[in-house]
Each structure stands twice: as structure tokens, then as C-alpha cells.
Amino acid sequence: MTASTPLSLAANDGRPVRDIALADAPLAIRGMTVSYGEKPAVFSVDATFEAGKMTAIIGPNGAGKSTLLKAALGVVPRLSGEVSVYGAPLATARDRIAYVPQRASVDWDFPTTVIDVVLMGLYRKTGLLSRLTGAHKAKALECLDRVGMADFADRQIGQLSGGQQQRVFLSRALAQDADLYLLDEPFAGVDAATERAIIDVLAALKADGKAVVCVHHDLATVSSYFDNVFLINVRRIAEGPVTEAFTPENLHATYGGRLATSHIDQLDLVAGA
Amino acid sequence: MGNEFVQFSLTPILIGILASIACALPGNFLVLRKQALIGDAISHVVLPGIVVAFLITGSVAAVPMLLGAAGAAIVAVILIEAIKRLGNIEPGAAMGVAFTSLFAGGVLLLEQSDTSTVHLDVEHALMGNLESLIWFKALGWSSLWDPEALAGLPDELIRIAVVCALVTVVTVVFWRPLKISTFDESFAQSLGLPVGAIGFGLVVTAAVAAVAAFDAVGSIIVIAMFICPPAAARLMTNRLETQVAWSILFATLSAILGYVFAGYGPLWFGAQNAVSAAGMIAAVSGVILGLACLFGPYRSRIGVGREEAI
């Protein structure tokens, strides 16, 4: 295998060393297989995402990047495999996770306002019937302010640009006060200002010791934005620090012929190992 | 507005209002989930279920009716799957075929069976029997405080009032999960919300409303109320809370205006007889939707593509 994991898989009386070392990792996936039809979308994948790090999940279209996140969250069912969040089962760790789905996955014509969407992030705290207080609204406004959207609080969400919508989604995740942030293509179709704003917010989360995981498309920005990279094409190809795992060999193994060699040469890659 | 009004018109109008609201409430979410067709489907499937339940039990009590409707829904789902797989027909068409056939089957079954002792025949299935649900014991407005007269209220009014209250309570209690899962299903799942159960609960709630309303006002109103008031309300506001309030207002307005127009409208035009109240209520709800399309303040949003906003 071309994997260059930060911790070796060298067996220690039969048990992989890294499972012991990372038992309380923000997100650990073991042997996960997901299938929508007959062909698996994700096959027997192991993955470990670290605290205080930003990790990019990269791979070609249909490689199972989004599916990996969704299955880890129980949004789509998995055929097999285990998921632990900070060493606990998913069901008891929901409060520590914030998920940002793909922007295009919802109908932005939905009759609701920007601040209403952010308040949805407080659902696990407010529950079914407790009244929304001024404190809740102040919290939501503060989260909007962190992405530069406080002035848009009362706008209908359909009136926003794509970049603004993405920032509202990020703001909702901030309202969740989570430790593990899972984002599905947060930079897809956004303007440069939004990309900058999102990166700043994610960097601040990282500095706070949170774990940030993004499904990412733009190979050109992997090196500048992320600490770690996880390469997937149905199976795990490689994972580790960008400086070690983001190699031409691993990219070829992930993308196959779909990525021209000339393109790879332009990327800020680690020299071939 | 004298004693005659209380005796002959008050209860039908109330029943019309309550039935309309009970259907419009879940209708808001069905329309936003782009499942408006399910409301349509439910109201069609309900008929054969109710007829079969009546043929087996010989009564029109609420529980056998509901069980019959539920059984018919299951048959419908199996039928749709079979049509889809065996005929290789697209899902929308398969649904349309299954529901229409089941409804037609229900009509045929109804014609053949002896339901003369109860209010169950083809005409009632379509248009209900709103005009006949009068309050015999009422002598005037004072009857509202008279326990004896109140005991003589038509059963249909009590039944639809209970169901309308139930639907309202369910909507209020599950407001946040309904709203979140309607807007963003995968986010709702990431919160640990049982999205499948919420969607199923919504359809069951709609079915209960449909069965209760069906009995009194017929399937035409049920179909209209699931869609018209919520769709019109959407054009009046950009907030879900306000939308639901508008939909209740439109449902109420349709019921009152529809009943009045059906009773007196033809006379204004020199015709002799009143027309079906249920038909007129449904027609009024359609007119309200039309007016909302023309004059609603947020009508421009309809049909605007997602990309245009970028």
C-alpha cells in the first residue's frame, strides 16, 4: 500500500499501534463500507482525524468523499464498520459534532430567515418546546458576526449569494459549539472573499484545538489551507500530514488517469518519496 | 343572523373550517417538502380503504375507517412498486396510476355495496354531506350555553374538532424537528433527529386529517386544502411561522366564503338551487391561490432558479 500514515501499522502483539494511540481521536473510522446499490461507494475504510488540525478529504468525483462523512454521522447507513467520536459511540457524542452539508443539498427558497437557520444550530440545547430567549438570539448574532453576516440576520435566505449562503451554514455550525467540525465542500462555488472568511474562521477553530475536516475539491489550495490530507477513491489511498501524504504517487493512485501529469507538476507537492 | 343560521349553517361552516385547517396544517410541510402529491394520494387511497372497512365492520366508526385507510395505503405502496418494477414506468406516473385506480375501485365498490343506511355513497365520497350536518336541537344562539342542545351537535363536528386539535398539538410540539428536517434533512440527521420517523409521522398526521375530513366534507376539499392554502400562504411571506398563520386564515376564509357562495351565490345570479358547498369551498381556495399568484407580495420567488440568486 502506498499509505504513509503518521503512525505505522506495525503490529504490537497483534493490535495496530495507532488504534491505541488514537483511541480518543475526534473522529476514528474503522473498516467502514457503504453502498447505495450493488457497488460500494466506500469500501473498508480506516480513517483517523486529529484535534487541532485541518484535514482535507480529497479524491475524484464519485470517490466517496461526501459519503464517508455522511456515513460517519449516520446520515447514510453503513454496511459495516465502526465510528468513534472522542472515544465514544456516535449516539452519545452528537453534541460534540457540527456538520455543514453541501450548500446545494437544500432548497434556499425555504421560507426562513438567516438568523432562523443559525438558531437551528441550537436545537440540541433548546429541544422541542423551550422558548428561544434573548441569549439564544445574541448567540446566533455573534456567530453570524464571526462570518461577517450579522447585517443579514433578517434576510430571507433565498436572497443571499452562494458565498453568503455558505457563510450562514458555517455560522449555524459555529452555533453548535462543537469540537469536531465536518464540512462538505465549504468552498464550492463561493467568491474569493467568502473563501478567505471561511478559512479564517476554520483557522481560529483549529487554534482552539478543534478538529476540522473538509471535503475539498481544489488541489491547488490543499497545501496552503490544510495540515493533513486524506486521499480516497472508494478505498483509502493515503492519509497523513500534507508534507508527507500529498505526493505525486498518492495523487496518481487516487485520481488515476483523470489527473494529467502536467497538472500535478503545477501543484505545491512534496517531492516524490 | 338569527336562529335559523345557528340551526342550519353554523355547524356546517364550523365543520368546513375545522376540516380545512386540519388538512392545511400538515399541507404546509408537504408542499415545502415537494410532497404535495402525497396529500392528493392520501385523499384518493382513503376511499377504497374506508369502503372495505365499512363492508367488513358494517359501521362508520373512526377506528375501522382509519385502519381501512392505513391498509389501503400499504396496498398502494406495494402497487406503486409493482408498477414501477414490472412495467418499468417512472415513479410519478406509477403513483398517478395507482392512486387513480384505487380511487376508481373504491367508487365501483361503493356503488355495488349496500350503504343506504349510512352516509356513504359516491356523491358523499366526493363532496361530503356538509349541508346535511345541521344542528337540529339548536333554537338560537342561546343553545350554545344549553347542555341539552349541545349534546345534539352532529358527531362529525365533534370528530373533526378533536382531530383538528390533535393535528394542531402535533404541529406545535414537533415544530422545530419538522422545520429543521424539512429545510435540511442531512443536517437534521446529524443532530440525531429521527428524520424517517418525522416524515412518516407527517404523512400519518395528514392521513388522519384526511380520513376525519373525508367523512364530513368529501375528498374534493381534502385535496384542495392540502395544497391551496399553504401554496397561497407561501406567496404572502418569507417566514414559515407567518406562512402557517396565513394558511390557517386562507383555509378559514375558503370554508366560510365557499359555504356562503354555495348557498346564496346561485340565487344572486337568478338560479334556483344552491350548489355543493364542498365543491364551492375547494373552488374558493383555488381562487385565493390564483389571487395570491397575481398579487402576493412574495410571488416573484416562485419559479426562480437556485442559480439566479448567486
Side-chain angles (χ1 to χ4, degrees):
Chain A
M1 191 189 276
T2 53
S4 58
T5 46
L7 292 146
S8 79
L9 269 167
N12 180 359
D13 52 83
R15 294 169 72 191
V17 172
R18 59 173 196 164
D19 273 8
I20 301 165
L22 298 174
D24 56 354
L27 178 61
I29 298 168
R30 291 292 172 268
M32 187 162 80
T33 297
V34 185
S35 176
Y36 293 115
E38 281 170 22
K39 255 180 78 180
V42 167
F43 186 74
S44 191
V45 164
D46 287 355
T48 307
F49 299 102
E50 296 174 67
K53 292 274 161 53
M54 276 179 67
T55 307
I57 299 178
I58 60 173
N61 289 329
K65 302 184 295 291
S66 298
T67 303
L68 182 74
L69 283 193
K70 286 182 185 168
L73 283 163
V75 171
V76 300
R78 47 183 188 268
L79 283 180
S80 63
E82 281 163 40
V83 173
S84 83
V85 177
Y86 291 96
L90 182 63
T92 59
R94 296 257 182 218
D95 288 332
R96 305 189 70 176
I97 308 173
Y99 171 55
V100 179
Q102 282 184 24
R103 184 169 57 84
S105 69
V106 307
D107 177 7
W108 290 91
D109 192 31
F110 193 85
T112 196
T113 55
V114 166
I115 193 161
D116 249 11
V117 172
V118 179
L119 285 167
M120 289 180 192
L122 296 173
Y123 174 74
R124 287 189 64 86
K125 295 184 186 72
T126 56
L128 279 183
L129 288 171
S130 71
R131 285 192 72 82
L132 287 174
T133 62
H136 290 130
K137 290 195 177 119
K139 165 91 187 162
L141 273 175
E142 181 222 312
C143 293
L144 278 171
D145 194 41
R146 282 165 72 182
V147 297
M149 288 291 292
D151 291 343
F152 295 83
D154 292 323
R155 284 275 189 101
Q156 198 265 335
I157 53 172
Q159 297 163 356
L160 305 177
S161 74
Q164 290 170 330
Q165 289 172 347
Q166 190 65 58
R167 282 192 259 174
V168 172
F169 258 16
L170 179 60
S171 178
R172 179 179 68 181
L174 293 175
Q176 290 181 270
D177 267 334
D179 297 314
L180 168 63
Y181 290 80
L182 303 175
L183 301 92
D184 200 343
E185 303 214 16
F187 305 110
V190 304
D191 52 286
T194 295
E195 184 151 337
R196 198 65 250 163
I198 293 175
I199 271 297
D200 288 347
V201 169
L202 295 182
L205 290 173
K206 181 180 97 170
D208 272 354
K210 316 282 189 187
V212 179
V213 180
C214 297
V215 170
H216 193 59
H217 244 125
D218 183 9
L219 294 179
T221 52
V222 169
S223 300
S224 49
Y225 290 173
F226 295 94
D227 308 299
N228 291 350
V229 64
F230 183 94
L231 295 105
I232 183 174
N233 191 345
V234 183
R235 295 162 187 270
R236 182 188 73 163
I237 308 297
E239 71 179 311
V242 170
T243 49
E244 291 171 28
F246 198 53
T247 64
E249 290 76 16
N250 284 340
L251 282 171
H252 270 301
T254 309
Y255 288 85
R258 274 184 269 190
L259 205 62
T261 314
S262 61
H263 187 183
I264 291 184
D265 289 342
Q266 289 166 13
L267 297 173
D268 183 16
L269 291 175
V270 191
Chain B
M1 296 298 243
N3 300 341
E4 252 182 41
F5 171 82
V6 177
Q7 197 168 22
F8 294 112
S9 296
L10 183 64
T11 43
I13 289 180
L14 280 179
I15 290 170
I17 291 172
L18 292 169
S20 300
I21 292 174
C23 292
L25 277 177
N28 279 291
F29 292 96
L30 291 175
V31 168
L32 286 173
R33 286 168 176 244
K34 313 219 176 341
Q35 293 179 336
L37 201 66
I38 286 187
D40 197 349
I42 290 168
S43 48
H44 277 88
V45 170
V46 156
L47 179 67
I50 284 179
V51 177
V52 170
F54 169 75
L55 290 178
I56 294 171
T57 64
S59 83
V60 285
V63 175
M65 295 291 105
L66 263 179
L67 288 177
I74 294 167
V75 172
V77 170
I78 295 171
L79 204 58
I80 292 164
E81 280 303 305
I83 295 171
K84 253 185 349 200
R85 302 235 172 120
L86 300 177
N88 204 13
I89 287 168
E90 61 115 352
M95 268 169 108
V97 170
F99 294 138
T100 315
S101 311
L102 279 169
F103 186 75
V107 170
L108 291 178
L109 208 57
L110 204 48
E111 263 186 344
Q112 301 304 314
S113 57
D114 176 25
T115 52
S116 52
T117 54
V118 292
H119 282 306
L120 198 58
D121 57 44
V122 175
E123 212 186 307
H124 286 150
L126 282 173
M127 302 185 290
N129 53 350
L130 206 45
E131 294 89 338
S132 69
L133 299 175
I134 52 180
W135 189 9
F136 276 120
K137 293 208 169 170
L139 301 170
W141 288 104
S142 60
S143 296
L144 285 173
W145 290 270
D146 177 4
E148 204 177 314
L150 285 175
L153 279 170
D155 289 346
E156 284 84 352
L157 178 62
I158 314 295
R159 211 177 299 160
I160 195 67
V162 169
V163 167
C164 189
L166 211 69
V167 170
T168 308
V169 168
V170 166
T171 309
V172 170
V173 170
F174 294 104
W175 180 264
R176 283 178 195 155
L178 267 171
K179 181 175 170 181
I180 295 175
S181 64
T182 301
F183 170 58
D184 189 345
E185 191 176 286
S186 50
F187 175 74
Q189 274 173 306
S190 81
L191 292 175
L193 286 171
V195 168
I198 293 168
F200 184 70
L202 176 62
V203 173
V204 169
T205 306
V208 170
V211 173
F214 185 87
D215 173 35
V217 299
S219 61
I220 292 180
I221 285 196
V222 175
I223 297 171
M225 288 304 152
F226 272 133
I227 301 175
C228 291
R234 175 65 189 91
L235 303 171
M236 302 303 291
T237 174
N238 267 334
R239 288 186 64 94
L240 184 58
E241 290 76 8
T242 323
Q243 177 189 321
V244 169
W246 274 105
S247 77
I248 292 171
L249 178 74
F250 284 153
T252 307
L253 210 60
S254 305
I256 295 172
L257 292 179
Y259 188 85
V260 172
F261 288 164
Y264 304 104
L267 301 179
W268 300 337
F269 294 100
Q272 293 300 315
N273 302 312
V275 295
S276 152
M280 189 57 87
I281 291 172
V284 168
S285 75
V287 170
I288 289 177
L289 175 57
L291 291 174
C293 288
L294 289 174
F295 305 110
Y298 294 96
R299 67 190 191 281
S300 58
R301 292 293 316 156
I302 288 292
V304 173
R306 215 174 270 161
E307 300 313 313
E308 250 174 90
I310 292 172

